[in-house]
Amino acid sequence: MNRKKSIKVAAVIDIGSNMLKMRISQLKKGEISDLEKLEYPLNLGHEVFTEGKIRFESLHELSGILHGYRGILKEYGVNQYKVVATTAFREAKNRSYVIDQLKIQNDMTVQVLEDDQEKTLIYSEILNTLDKMENKKGENALISYIGAGTIGFSLYNGKHMIFSQNIPMGALKLHDMLGNIQELTEDFYTVVEEYLNSIIGHIRIPFSKGLVSNLVLTGNEIQLIAHICGVMPENGCYTIPAQMLTDLFKQIRSMSQEKISNHYGISEDTAELLYSALAIYIRLIEFSESDVIIAPKVELWDALMRHMLLPKSSEEYFEHVRENAISCAYEIAKTYHCNHLHSENVRKFACRIFDKMKGAHGLDHRKRLLLELAAILHDCGYYVTAKQHLLSTFDLIKDIDVYGMTDEEMLLTAYVSRYNEYDVPNYDDIEFIRLSDKNRLIVSKLVAIFRLANALDKAQKQKLSDIRVKLNNDRLLITADSNENCYLEKWAFEQCAPFFQEVFGYKPVLTVRSSLI
C-alpha cells in the first residue's frame, strides 16, 4: 500500500488483561485519524490474578495473533509502532520468559508500563478533554481510572494534580479474589462493598470536607455502562447522572452473572466485570458533591499515538509530568510539616548546580526532576522521628505515590534524600548494593549535588537568597551575597565538598560576599 511521504503512519498494540488491541493511525495536515482498529479477547488477567503466571498456551495464542497483526502493519506500510502491556504482564511472575518468547517469535519488543506510567498517560488525555469543557475549566476533580487489575486516583485542584495513588484492585481482580464467596451467600454485594470500603475508605482527600466538585471516571466498562443507561457522548465525553449508576447497581447487585448477561445482552465474562466495575464506581461517588459523573472517551493508546505522530507532544507531556509531580510533592511535604521556604531554596540551588554541571554528569531532565523531588521531600522524616530522620525520610519517600513517577524513580529519590553532610552513599550498605551499577552511579551524582545545595541553607533561614555557579578549570565556583552570619553554611559546604570532588573531579569553592564594612 503506497502512501505519500508527507503522511505519517503509526500503530499501537495494547496487550491488556482481557483484550489485545491494535490501532493504526495517520497524521495528515496536523490531524490524527484512524485507519484500523482491531480487538481480540484474552484471558491473561484471570490467569495472572489466580495463578500468578501467564500460561504458555496463552503465550502461543498471543504470539499467533501478534503474527497476524504484524502482517497488517506491513500492508499499511507501518514502520513506527509500540507494543505495550499493562497489569497482567506487570504482575506475571514469568513475564521475562513471555516477553523473551514474543521477541524471538514475533520480533516485537513489549514495553511493560509501570502503574504510574499507564495512569499518567491516561490522565494527561483526560485533562486535555476537561480543558475543552468550558464549564469545567478551573474546577477541582477526583480523576480515577478503573482498570482490570488496578484503580488509579488523582486529585486535580483546577490547575495541577495534588495527590496521586494507585491501588492494586481493579474490576477483574476484585471478581477473581472474591468470586468464590458468591456461591456461599445471597448477600454477596455486601461482601464486595465491605471489602472495597476496607481499601478505598482509607484514602484521605486533601480538600475541605474530603469532597470534590467533580468526579471524572474512565475505564474499560464505562462505555458499556453509559450505553445501558442510554447516555450518548457529546464532544467525546459522557455525562452520566450519578443516580442512574446507583439505580443500575441496585438492579443488578442481587442478579446472577447469567441473569445480567441475558437481561442486557452481554457475555457472562462482561457481566462479571460490569458488576465489579459498578461496585467501584458507586464507592467513588461518595467522594464527590456532584450529581453527575464525567466520563471522557480516552484510552491509553490516545497518548501513545500522539507522542509518536506529534514529537512535540512528548516534550509537552514531560513538562506536564514535571509540574504535577512537583505539585504533588509539595502537598506531601505540607502533610509532613516540611519547611517550604527551605525546600524551595534547596531545589533552586540544586537545579542551578545541576544545569551548570550538565557536561560533567551526563544526566537527563528526568533525573533533574528526581533531584527536585528530593529537595522538596528531604525533611519529611522529621515527622516520624528526629532521632533517625534520614532513615525515616528514606522509608517514607520510597513508598509514596507521586504523579507520573515510577516505583524505581521514587526509590532513587529516597536515596538522594537520605544523605546529609555526615553521610554519603556507601558500598558497605546492603540496601545500596542492591541497586544496579547504573542506578548507584545516578544516585551518587545526584547526592553529590543535593548535599552541596542543602548545605547552602543549612540553618534553613535562607541567608543566601540566590547563587551564581561557574566552572573554572577543575573548580566549581559558587558565589552568593549575604549580610548574615554564614559560618554554619560554610562549614556544611566544606563537609560536602570532598564527595562532590570524588564523584565529578571538580573542587567546589564557596564565596559569600557581604556589603557590610
Side-chain angles (χ1 to χ4, degrees), residues 451-484:
R451 289 170 81 241
L452 276 190
N454 196 20
L456 292 171
D457 194 34
K458 180 62 182 172
Q460 301 200 9
K461 292 183 176 179
Q462 297 76 59
K463 299 172 190 175
L464 310 179
S465 60
D466 204 356
I467 61 171
R468 296 175 291 282
V469 184
K470 183 180 179 182
L471 287 177
N472 183 7
N473 296 323
D474 59 352
R475 297 188 303 168
L476 176 77
L477 304 179
I478 297 178
T479 56
D481 299 318
S482 179
N483 292 329
E484 297 188 52

mmCIF file of all heavy atoms in Angstrom, residues 451-484:
data_model
loop_
_atom_site.group_PDB
_atom_site.id
_atom_site.type_symbol
_atom_site.label_atom_id
_atom_site.label_comp_id
_atom_site.label_asym_id
_atom_site.label_seq_id
_atom_site.Cartn_x
_atom_site.Cartn_y
_atom_site.Cartn_z
ATOM 1 N N ARG A 451 23.698 17.400 48.341
ATOM 2 C CA ARG A 451 24.354 17.733 49.608
ATOM 3 C C ARG A 451 24.914 19.154 49.584
ATOM 4 O O ARG A 451 24.814 19.886 50.571
ATOM 5 C CB ARG A 451 25.467 16.730 49.915
ATOM 6 C CG ARG A 451 24.937 15.357 50.294
ATOM 7 C CD ARG A 451 26.056 14.333 50.357
ATOM 8 N NE ARG A 451 26.781 14.394 51.623
ATOM 9 C CZ ARG A 451 28.073 14.665 51.733
ATOM 10 N NH1 ARG A 451 28.786 14.956 50.648
ATOM 11 N NH2 ARG A 451 28.674 14.653 52.920
ATOM 12 N N LEU A 452 25.500 19.539 48.443
ATOM 13 C CA LEU A 452 26.012 20.916 48.329
ATOM 14 C C LEU A 452 24.872 21.921 48.452
ATOM 15 O O LEU A 452 24.969 22.913 49.175
ATOM 16 C CB LEU A 452 26.713 21.125 46.986
ATOM 17 C CG LEU A 452 28.177 20.710 46.823
ATOM 18 C CD1 LEU A 452 28.708 21.248 45.505
ATOM 19 C CD2 LEU A 452 29.049 21.181 47.976
ATOM 20 N N ALA A 453 23.780 21.664 47.724
ATOM 21 C CA ALA A 453 22.631 22.583 47.724
ATOM 22 C C ALA A 453 22.023 22.688 49.120
ATOM 23 O O ALA A 453 21.665 23.778 49.584
ATOM 24 C CB ALA A 453 21.590 22.113 46.717
ATOM 25 N N ASN A 454 21.896 21.562 49.797
ATOM 26 C CA ASN A 454 21.307 21.541 51.134
ATOM 27 C C ASN A 454 22.198 22.282 52.134
ATOM 28 O O ASN A 454 21.713 22.992 53.024
ATOM 29 C CB ASN A 454 21.101 20.093 51.571
ATOM 30 C CG ASN A 454 20.142 19.968 52.753
ATOM 31 O OD1 ASN A 454 19.358 20.875 53.025
ATOM 32 N ND2 ASN A 454 20.219 18.850 53.449
ATOM 33 N N ALA A 455 23.518 22.146 51.965
ATOM 34 C CA ALA A 455 24.461 22.824 52.859
ATOM 35 C C ALA A 455 24.331 24.342 52.764
ATOM 36 O O ALA A 455 24.516 25.062 53.756
ATOM 37 C CB ALA A 455 25.890 22.404 52.521
ATOM 38 N N LEU A 456 23.973 24.838 51.576
ATOM 39 C CA LEU A 456 23.882 26.291 51.357
ATOM 40 C C LEU A 456 22.709 26.935 52.102
ATOM 41 O O LEU A 456 22.607 28.162 52.164
ATOM 42 C CB LEU A 456 23.770 26.583 49.852
ATOM 43 C CG LEU A 456 25.032 26.252 49.032
ATOM 44 C CD1 LEU A 456 24.752 26.352 47.540
ATOM 45 C CD2 LEU A 456 26.185 27.162 49.426
ATOM 46 N N ASP A 457 21.815 26.117 52.653
ATOM 47 C CA ASP A 457 20.740 26.637 53.502
ATOM 48 C C ASP A 457 20.655 25.796 54.775
ATOM 49 O O ASP A 457 19.576 25.418 55.225
ATOM 50 C CB ASP A 457 19.405 26.629 52.753
ATOM 51 C CG ASP A 457 18.332 27.472 53.444
ATOM 52 O OD1 ASP A 457 18.697 28.503 54.033
ATOM 53 O OD2 ASP A 457 17.160 27.087 53.410
ATOM 54 N N LYS A 458 21.818 25.493 55.332
ATOM 55 C CA LYS A 458 21.891 24.588 56.475
ATOM 56 C C LYS A 458 21.053 25.075 57.653
ATOM 57 O O LYS A 458 20.380 24.292 58.328
ATOM 58 C CB LYS A 458 23.362 24.422 56.905
ATOM 59 C CG LYS A 458 23.569 23.500 58.092
ATOM 60 C CD LYS A 458 23.099 22.086 57.770
ATOM 61 C CE LYS A 458 23.249 21.168 58.969
ATOM 62 N NZ LYS A 458 22.632 19.849 58.729
ATOM 63 N N ALA A 459 21.059 26.363 57.910
ATOM 64 C CA ALA A 459 20.286 26.902 59.034
ATOM 65 C C ALA A 459 18.804 27.033 58.723
ATOM 66 O O ALA A 459 18.008 27.368 59.602
ATOM 67 C CB ALA A 459 20.848 28.262 59.439
ATOM 68 N N GLN A 460 18.432 26.774 57.464
ATOM 69 C CA GLN A 460 17.037 26.877 57.000
ATOM 70 C C GLN A 460 16.472 28.285 57.217
ATOM 71 O O GLN A 460 15.300 28.466 57.528
ATOM 72 C CB GLN A 460 16.157 25.825 57.683
ATOM 73 C CG GLN A 460 16.618 24.400 57.423
ATOM 74 C CD GLN A 460 15.550 23.357 57.661
ATOM 75 O OE1 GLN A 460 14.386 23.669 57.881
ATOM 76 N NE2 GLN A 460 15.918 22.088 57.590
ATOM 77 N N LYS A 461 17.365 29.292 57.046
ATOM 78 C CA LYS A 461 16.938 30.688 57.215
ATOM 79 C C LYS A 461 17.072 31.496 55.933
ATOM 80 O O LYS A 461 16.900 32.712 55.946
ATOM 81 C CB LYS A 461 17.757 31.344 58.329
ATOM 82 C CG LYS A 461 17.468 30.795 59.716
ATOM 83 C CD LYS A 461 18.258 31.531 60.781
ATOM 84 C CE LYS A 461 17.893 31.032 62.165
ATOM 85 N NZ LYS A 461 18.672 31.739 63.223
ATOM 86 N N GLN A 462 17.418 30.838 54.831
ATOM 87 C CA GLN A 462 17.545 31.484 53.525
ATOM 88 C C GLN A 462 18.481 32.707 53.584
ATOM 89 O O GLN A 462 18.173 33.781 53.056
ATOM 90 C CB GLN A 462 16.176 31.906 52.952
ATOM 91 C CG GLN A 462 15.242 30.743 52.679
ATOM 92 C CD GLN A 462 14.616 30.174 53.943
ATOM 93 O OE1 GLN A 462 13.939 30.892 54.680
ATOM 94 N NE2 GLN A 462 14.835 28.900 54.227
ATOM 95 N N LYS A 463 19.626 32.519 54.239
ATOM 96 C CA LYS A 463 20.619 33.593 54.306
ATOM 97 C C LYS A 463 21.159 33.922 52.922
ATOM 98 O O LYS A 463 21.499 35.065 52.627
ATOM 99 C CB LYS A 463 21.781 33.179 55.224
ATOM 100 C CG LYS A 463 21.391 32.903 56.662
ATOM 101 C CD LYS A 463 22.577 32.323 57.415
ATOM 102 C CE LYS A 463 22.176 31.796 58.772
ATOM 103 N NZ LYS A 463 23.315 31.119 59.444
ATOM 104 N N LEU A 464 21.230 32.889 52.063
ATOM 105 C CA LEU A 464 21.630 33.099 50.668
ATOM 106 C C LEU A 464 20.365 33.026 49.828
ATOM 107 O O LEU A 464 19.758 31.970 49.689
ATOM 108 C CB LEU A 464 22.619 32.021 50.212
ATOM 109 C CG LEU A 464 23.829 31.751 51.117
ATOM 110 C CD1 LEU A 464 24.692 30.643 50.531
ATOM 111 C CD2 LEU A 464 24.644 33.013 51.334
ATOM 112 N N SER A 465 19.949 34.158 49.307
ATOM 113 C CA SER A 465 18.702 34.167 48.540
ATOM 114 C C SER A 465 18.908 33.621 47.131
ATOM 115 O O SER A 465 17.979 33.115 46.513
ATOM 116 C CB SER A 465 18.127 35.576 48.471
ATOM 117 O OG SER A 465 19.042 36.445 47.841
ATOM 118 N N ASP A 466 20.137 33.707 46.632
ATOM 119 C CA ASP A 466 20.431 33.215 45.292
ATOM 120 C C ASP A 466 21.916 32.906 45.195
ATOM 121 O O ASP A 466 22.716 33.375 46.010
ATOM 122 C CB ASP A 466 20.032 34.243 44.232
ATOM 123 C CG ASP A 466 19.761 33.590 42.877
ATOM 124 O OD1 ASP A 466 19.956 32.358 42.763
ATOM 125 O OD2 ASP A 466 19.356 34.300 41.945
ATOM 126 N N ILE A 467 22.291 32.095 44.205
ATOM 127 C CA ILE A 467 23.704 31.766 43.992
ATOM 128 C C ILE A 467 24.054 31.897 42.516
ATOM 129 O O ILE A 467 23.178 31.812 41.651
ATOM 130 C CB ILE A 467 24.048 30.337 44.472
ATOM 131 C CG1 ILE A 467 23.228 29.294 43.687
ATOM 132 C CG2 ILE A 467 23.875 30.197 45.966
ATOM 133 C CD1 ILE A 467 23.655 27.857 43.944
ATOM 134 N N ARG A 468 25.325 32.119 42.258
ATOM 135 C CA ARG A 468 25.857 32.107 40.893
ATOM 136 C C ARG A 468 26.841 30.952 40.799
ATOM 137 O O ARG A 468 27.681 30.768 41.705
ATOM 138 C CB ARG A 468 26.522 33.443 40.567
ATOM 139 C CG ARG A 468 25.552 34.623 40.579
ATOM 140 C CD ARG A 468 26.247 35.956 40.385
ATOM 141 N NE ARG A 468 27.079 36.331 41.523
ATOM 142 C CZ ARG A 468 26.614 36.827 42.671
ATOM 143 N NH1 ARG A 468 25.301 36.993 42.845
ATOM 144 N NH2 ARG A 468 27.432 37.155 43.656
ATOM 145 N N VAL A 469 26.734 30.180 39.744
ATOM 146 C CA VAL A 469 27.551 28.964 39.603
ATOM 147 C C VAL A 469 28.387 29.053 38.335
ATOM 148 O O VAL A 469 27.883 29.414 37.269
ATOM 149 C CB VAL A 469 26.661 27.696 39.556
ATOM 150 C CG1 VAL A 469 27.513 26.438 39.509
ATOM 151 C CG2 VAL A 469 25.693 27.655 40.732
ATOM 152 N N LYS A 470 29.672 28.718 38.467
ATOM 153 C CA LYS A 470 30.583 28.813 37.324
ATOM 154 C C LYS A 470 31.622 27.704 37.400
ATOM 155 O O LYS A 470 32.119 27.381 38.484
ATOM 156 C CB LYS A 470 31.276 30.184 37.330
ATOM 157 C CG LYS A 470 32.206 30.435 36.156
ATOM 158 C CD LYS A 470 32.842 31.817 36.271
ATOM 159 C CE LYS A 470 33.805 32.073 35.123
ATOM 160 N NZ LYS A 470 34.475 33.397 35.261
ATOM 161 N N LEU A 471 31.956 27.098 36.274
ATOM 162 C CA LEU A 471 33.032 26.120 36.205
ATOM 163 C C LEU A 471 34.296 26.824 35.738
ATOM 164 O O LEU A 471 34.287 27.545 34.737
ATOM 165 C CB LEU A 471 32.679 24.992 35.219
ATOM 166 C CG LEU A 471 31.622 23.973 35.667
ATOM 167 C CD1 LEU A 471 31.349 22.983 34.545
ATOM 168 C CD2 LEU A 471 32.050 23.242 36.920
ATOM 169 N N ASN A 472 35.375 26.605 36.467
ATOM 170 C CA ASN A 472 36.654 27.233 36.119
ATOM 171 C C ASN A 472 37.743 26.180 36.273
ATOM 172 O O ASN A 472 38.143 25.849 37.387
ATOM 173 C CB ASN A 472 36.920 28.434 37.025
ATOM 174 C CG ASN A 472 38.197 29.171 36.655
ATOM 175 O OD1 ASN A 472 38.824 28.863 35.643
ATOM 176 N ND2 ASN A 472 38.569 30.141 37.467
ATOM 177 N N ASN A 473 38.201 25.654 35.129
ATOM 178 C CA ASN A 473 39.176 24.556 35.116
ATOM 179 C C ASN A 473 38.637 23.384 35.927
ATOM 180 O O ASN A 473 37.626 22.825 35.574
ATOM 181 C CB ASN A 473 40.531 25.040 35.635
ATOM 182 C CG ASN A 473 41.127 26.106 34.714
ATOM 183 O OD1 ASN A 473 40.975 26.020 33.495
ATOM 184 N ND2 ASN A 473 41.793 27.096 35.283
ATOM 185 N N ASP A 474 39.289 23.042 37.048
ATOM 186 C CA ASP A 474 38.830 21.899 37.840
ATOM 187 C C ASP A 474 38.100 22.335 39.096
ATOM 188 O O ASP A 474 38.017 21.599 40.078
ATOM 189 C CB ASP A 474 40.016 21.001 38.209
ATOM 190 C CG ASP A 474 41.077 21.736 39.016
ATOM 191 O OD1 ASP A 474 40.957 22.975 39.142
ATOM 192 O OD2 ASP A 474 42.013 21.072 39.501
ATOM 193 N N ARG A 475 37.536 23.534 39.077
ATOM 194 C CA ARG A 475 36.813 24.040 40.237
ATOM 195 C C ARG A 475 35.376 24.411 39.882
ATOM 196 O O ARG A 475 35.091 24.870 38.778
ATOM 197 C CB ARG A 475 37.522 25.268 40.822
ATOM 198 C CG ARG A 475 38.922 24.975 41.359
ATOM 199 C CD ARG A 475 39.476 26.186 42.093
ATOM 200 N NE ARG A 475 39.501 27.380 41.229
ATOM 201 C CZ ARG A 475 39.710 28.614 41.683
ATOM 202 N NH1 ARG A 475 39.881 28.827 42.994
ATOM 203 N NH2 ARG A 475 39.734 29.628 40.855
ATOM 204 N N LEU A 476 34.469 24.198 40.847
ATOM 205 C CA LEU A 476 33.083 24.651 40.732
ATOM 206 C C LEU A 476 32.955 25.851 41.660
ATOM 207 O O LEU A 476 32.991 25.704 42.883
ATOM 208 C CB LEU A 476 32.110 23.548 41.160
ATOM 209 C CG LEU A 476 30.620 23.952 41.164
ATOM 210 C CD1 LEU A 476 30.070 23.980 39.748
ATOM 211 C CD2 LEU A 476 29.798 22.998 42.029
ATOM 212 N N LEU A 477 32.845 27.018 41.069
ATOM 213 C CA LEU A 477 32.808 28.250 41.859
ATOM 214 C C LEU A 477 31.361 28.661 42.137
ATOM 215 O O LEU A 477 30.573 28.864 41.201
ATOM 216 C CB LEU A 477 33.535 29.372 41.118
ATOM 217 C CG LEU A 477 34.990 29.083 40.711
ATOM 218 C CD1 LEU A 477 35.577 30.265 39.956
ATOM 219 C CD2 LEU A 477 35.843 28.760 41.939
ATOM 220 N N ILE A 478 31.033 28.768 43.410
ATOM 221 C CA ILE A 478 29.691 29.202 43.812
ATOM 222 C C ILE A 478 29.842 30.498 44.596
ATOM 223 O O ILE A 478 30.564 30.553 45.601
ATOM 224 C CB ILE A 478 28.989 28.139 44.677
ATOM 225 C CG1 ILE A 478 28.789 26.855 43.858
ATOM 226 C CG2 ILE A 478 27.643 28.654 45.194
ATOM 227 C CD1 ILE A 478 28.145 25.721 44.625
ATOM 228 N N THR A 479 29.174 31.529 44.118
ATOM 229 C CA THR A 479 29.241 32.830 44.799
ATOM 230 C C THR A 479 27.839 33.278 45.172
ATOM 231 O O THR A 479 26.862 32.965 44.481
ATOM 232 C CB THR A 479 29.906 33.903 43.912
ATOM 233 O OG1 THR A 479 29.191 33.996 42.672
ATOM 234 C CG2 THR A 479 31.363 33.554 43.636
ATOM 235 N N ALA A 480 27.766 34.001 46.292
ATOM 236 C CA ALA A 480 26.470 34.489 46.772
ATOM 237 C C ALA A 480 26.694 35.763 47.571
ATOM 238 O O ALA A 480 27.823 36.066 47.995
ATOM 239 C CB ALA A 480 25.798 33.433 47.634
ATOM 240 N N ASP A 481 25.610 36.518 47.752
ATOM 241 C CA ASP A 481 25.667 37.740 48.557
ATOM 242 C C ASP A 481 24.822 37.549 49.813
ATOM 243 O O ASP A 481 23.698 37.038 49.747
ATOM 244 C CB ASP A 481 25.125 38.929 47.761
ATOM 245 C CG ASP A 481 25.942 39.198 46.504
ATOM 246 O OD1 ASP A 481 27.181 39.132 46.579
ATOM 247 O OD2 ASP A 481 25.323 39.459 45.445
ATOM 248 N N SER A 482 25.379 37.966 50.945
ATOM 249 C CA SER A 482 24.628 37.891 52.198
ATOM 250 C C SER A 482 25.280 38.760 53.250
ATOM 251 O O SER A 482 26.505 38.831 53.340
ATOM 252 C CB SER A 482 24.564 36.450 52.710
ATOM 253 O OG SER A 482 23.859 36.396 53.942
ATOM 254 N N ASN A 483 24.458 39.431 54.045
ATOM 255 C CA ASN A 483 24.965 40.239 55.154
ATOM 256 C C ASN A 483 24.769 39.529 56.492
ATOM 257 O O ASN A 483 24.911 40.138 57.547
ATOM 258 C CB ASN A 483 24.266 41.608 55.171
ATOM 259 C CG ASN A 483 24.653 42.451 53.972
ATOM 260 O OD1 ASN A 483 25.776 42.331 53.460
ATOM 261 N ND2 ASN A 483 23.733 43.289 53.508
ATOM 262 N N GLU A 484 24.448 38.242 56.437
ATOM 263 C CA GLU A 484 24.213 37.489 57.662
ATOM 264 C C GLU A 484 25.405 36.586 57.984
ATOM 265 O O GLU A 484 26.289 36.361 57.149
ATOM 266 C CB GLU A 484 22.935 36.657 57.519
ATOM 267 C CG GLU A 484 21.691 37.510 57.325
ATOM 268 C CD GLU A 484 20.419 36.688 57.379
ATOM 269 O OE1 GLU A 484 20.258 35.931 58.365
ATOM 270 O OE2 GLU A 484 19.592 36.786 56.456
#
